[in-house]
C-alpha cells in the first residue's frame, strides 16, 4: 500500500510533463485569442453545490463523488467537474452585476469514483470554458469554435462534432413524457440502472452505454419533434453561425449529456480511434444553472475537455509522444580529466540552446553509448584522453552511425549550424 498510488489516480512523470505543459499552454493561447480569462477555484466545495449544480439524478452525484465530513462537521466534496465551482464563484463575487458576458476558462484536476479503464480515471484533468450572460447563438458557436481550434492546435485531426438541442423547461417535459411512454412497455428489457432512471430522468436512457439500451434508444422519439419555437429558433441560429464559420457537425438526436442543468445546445467532440472513451470534449448551454445555484437568472454555455483522453488520442497519432523528453547531444567522457573538460563543453552547448545531458559516474564507452541511445539523443559527443590532449571532440550521429572529429573551438558553431539547417528544433 505504502508504495502504491490509489486506484484510478496517476503520476504524471517527467517524461510526460512537457506534453502536459504544451497542451495547457495551447489552451491558454487559444483562450486569449477568444477573449477568455482564467479562473482558479478550490478543488473542494460544499457538497450541496454539486447536488444543486450537477443534479441529484446524475451518475456523478448518485455514485461518483468523493464526499467526506471535514473536522468541522461539514460535508465537503472533491470537485467532480468544473462548472459548478465556476458558477459559485461568479455568483459569490457578484460578477453578474458587472458588464456581461463574463468569459472564463479553467484547467485543473477533477475527481470521480468511477471504474478505472483507459481514458477513465478517478483523478483526471479538464480544460473548460464558460460564458455567462449571453443567450445569443453566436456565443454557442464561439464556444464550439474555441474547442475545435484548441483540439486542432494540439495536433488532433479527424474529429467529429455532434450537435443536438435538449430543449428547455417549456418543451423538455413534453419530451420526457414521450420518452416514458415509449420506454414503459419495454421496461423489462432495459438494464437495471435505466429501469430506475425511467421515472427520475428518462433522458439519460438515451445516453446509456449498454448494448441493449442502445438498441432500444435507436427507435426512441427524438427531441427535434417537440422543441418549442424559441428552442427551434435558437438551434437554427447555432447551425447558421457554425455554417458561416465552416464548422461541420452531425446532428445526433441521442446526444443528451448526463447533467440536468443543460438547456438547448448540447455538443460533443468525438475521436473515433479511442473507442468507448472517445468523447474528448463535451459541453452545452445551461441557462438554468446560475439561478439554481442562487444567482439571478443568467444564461450560460461552456464545455469541458478531458486532458487524459486528449493525450491518449495524441498518442495514437504520434507514437513519439515522449518527444517532450528529447535530447540533442549526449556527452560521453572517458577518464577523469576528460570528464572535467566535458563539463565545460556541456555548459557552452546548453547556453547555445542545445539540449545536452551526460553520464556521470565513470563507465565504459559501451555503457555510455547505450545510455546515449536510451536518451533518444541524436548526437553523442565523445571525449577521450587522446581527444582531450589534441583539443578535439568526436561527434557521432546516433541515428546514422557515422562520426567525425571536430576542434573543440568549433563545437558551438557546429551546433548553431545544426539548428539552422533543421537538424535541431
Ligand atoms: P462519459 O460519458 O465518458 O463518462 P461524461 O459525460 O461523464 O463522459 P463530462 O462530465 O461531460 O463527461 O466531462 C467532459 C469530459 O471530461 C469528457 O468528455 C471526458 O473527456 C472527460 N472525462 C469525464 N470523466 C472522465 C474520467 N473519469 N476520466 C477521464 N476523463 C474523463
Ligand atoms: Mg461520466
Amino acid at each position: 500500500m505504502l508504495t502504491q498510488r490509489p486506484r484510478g489516480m496517476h503520476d504524471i512523470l517527467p517524461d510526460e510533463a512537457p506534453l502536459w505543459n504544451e497542451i495547457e499552454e495551447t489552451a491558454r493561447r487559444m483562450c486569449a485569442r477568444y477573449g477568455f480569462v482564467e479562473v482558479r477555484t478550490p478543488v473542494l466545495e460544499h457538497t450541496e453545490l454539486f447536488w444543486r449544480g450537477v443534479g441529484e439524478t446524475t451518475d456523478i452525484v448518485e455514485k461518483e463523488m468523493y464526499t467526506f465530513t471535514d473536522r468541522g462537521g461539514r460535508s465537503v466534496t472533491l470537485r467532480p467537474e468544473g462548472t459548478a465551482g465556476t458558477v459559485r464563484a461568479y455568483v459569490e463575487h457578484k460578477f453578474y452585476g458587472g458588464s456581461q458576458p463574463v468569459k472564463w476558462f479553467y484547467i485543473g484536476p477533477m475527481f470521480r469514483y468511477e471504474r478505472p479503464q483507459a481514458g477513465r480515471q478517478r483523478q483526471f484533468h479538464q480544460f473548460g470554458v464558460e460564458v455567462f450572460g449571453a443567450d445569443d447563438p453566436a456565443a454557442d458557436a464561439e464556444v464550439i469554435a474555441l474547442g475545435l481550434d484548441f483540439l486542432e492546435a494540439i495536433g488532433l485531426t479527424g474529429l467529429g462534432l455532434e450537435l443536438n438541442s435538449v430543449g428547455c423547461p417549456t418543451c423538455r417535459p413534453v419530451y420526457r413524457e414521450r420518452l416514458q411512454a415509449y420506454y414503459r412497455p419495454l421496461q423489462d428489457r432495459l438494464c437495471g440502472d435505466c429501469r430506475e432512471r425511467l421515472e427520475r430522468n428518462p433522458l439519460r436512457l438515451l445516453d446509456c452505454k449498454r448494448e441493449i439500451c442502445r438498441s432500444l434508444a435507436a427507435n426512441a422519439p427524438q427531441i427535434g419533434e417537440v422543441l418549442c419555437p424559441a428552442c427551434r429558433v435558437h438551434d437554427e441560429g447555432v447551425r447558421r453561425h457554425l455554417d458561416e464559420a465552416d464548422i461541420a457537425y452531425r446532428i445526433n438526436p441521442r446526444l443528451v449529456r448526463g447533467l440536468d442543468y443543460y438547456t438547448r445546445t448540447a455538443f460533443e467532440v468525438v475521436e473515433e480511434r479511442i473507442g468507448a472513451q472517445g468523447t474528448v470534449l463535451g459541453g452545452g448551454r445551461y441557462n438554468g444553472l446560475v439561478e439554481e445555484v442562487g444567482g439571478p437568472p443568467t444564461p450560460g454555455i461552456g464545455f469541458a475537455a478531458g486532458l487524459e483522453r486528449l493525450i491518449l488520442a495524441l498518442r495514437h497519432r504520434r507514437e513519439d509522444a515522449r518527444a517532450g523528453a528529447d535530447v540533442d547531444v549526449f556527452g560521453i567522457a572517458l577518464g577523469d580529466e576528460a570528464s572535467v573538460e566535458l563539463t565545460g563543453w556541456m555548459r557552452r552547448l546548453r547556453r547555445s540552446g542545445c539540449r545536452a545531458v551526460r553520464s556521470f559516474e565513470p563507465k565504459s564507452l559501451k555503457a555510455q553509448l547505450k545510455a546515449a541511445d536510451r536518451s533518444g539523443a541524436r548526437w553523442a559527443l565523445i571525449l577521450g584522453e587522446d581527444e582531450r590532449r589534441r583539443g578535439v571532440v568526436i561527434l557521432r550521429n546516433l541515428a546514422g552511425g557515422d562520426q567525425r572529429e571536430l576542434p573543440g573551438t568549433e563545437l558551438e558553431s557546429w551546433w548553431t549550424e545544426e539548428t539552422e539547417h533543421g537538424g535541431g528544433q
Side-chain angles (χ1 to χ4, degrees), residues 8 54 59-60 64 80-82 106 110-127 207 209 257-259 261-262 267-269 274 276-283 303-310:
V54 176
D59 275 356
I60 292 180
E64 296 175 357
E81 51 90 81
Y106 60 83
M110 308 292 161
F111 304 84
R112 297 184 192 176
Y113 197 81
E114 299 204 69
R115 196 169 67 76
Q117 47 195 299
R120 194 173 292 284
Q121 305 180 181
R122 292 181 174 172
Q123 177 177 339
F124 61 101
H125 297 76
Q126 285 184 336
F127 155 48
D207 198 25
K209 294 178 176 85
R257 316 286 310 132
L259 310 178
Y261 51 67
Y262 285 104
F267 61 93
E268 285 188 350
V269 180
I274 53 178
Q277 267 64 247
T279 304
V280 291
L281 182 151
F303 71 66
L307 301 188
E308 279 80 2
R309 287 194 200 173
L310 295 182

Side-chain angles (χ1 to χ4, degrees), residues 66-124:
Y66 281 89
T67 297
F68 62 96
T69 308
D70 71 10
R71 287 171 192 273
R74 281 184 162 280
S75 179
V76 289
T77 295
L78 285 173
R79 63 181 182 194
E81 51 90 81
T83 303
T86 310
V87 170
R88 197 257 319 127
Y90 173 85
V91 175
E92 181 168 350
H93 302 287
K94 300 194 171 57
F95 273 84
Y96 52 79
S99 75
Q100 307 295 304
V102 167
K103 307 204 294 186
W104 282 351
F105 76 92
Y106 60 83
I107 301 174
M110 308 292 161
F111 304 84
R112 297 184 192 176
Y113 197 81
E114 299 204 69
R115 196 169 67 76
Q117 47 195 299
R120 194 173 292 284
Q121 305 180 181
R122 292 181 174 172
Q123 177 177 339
F124 61 101

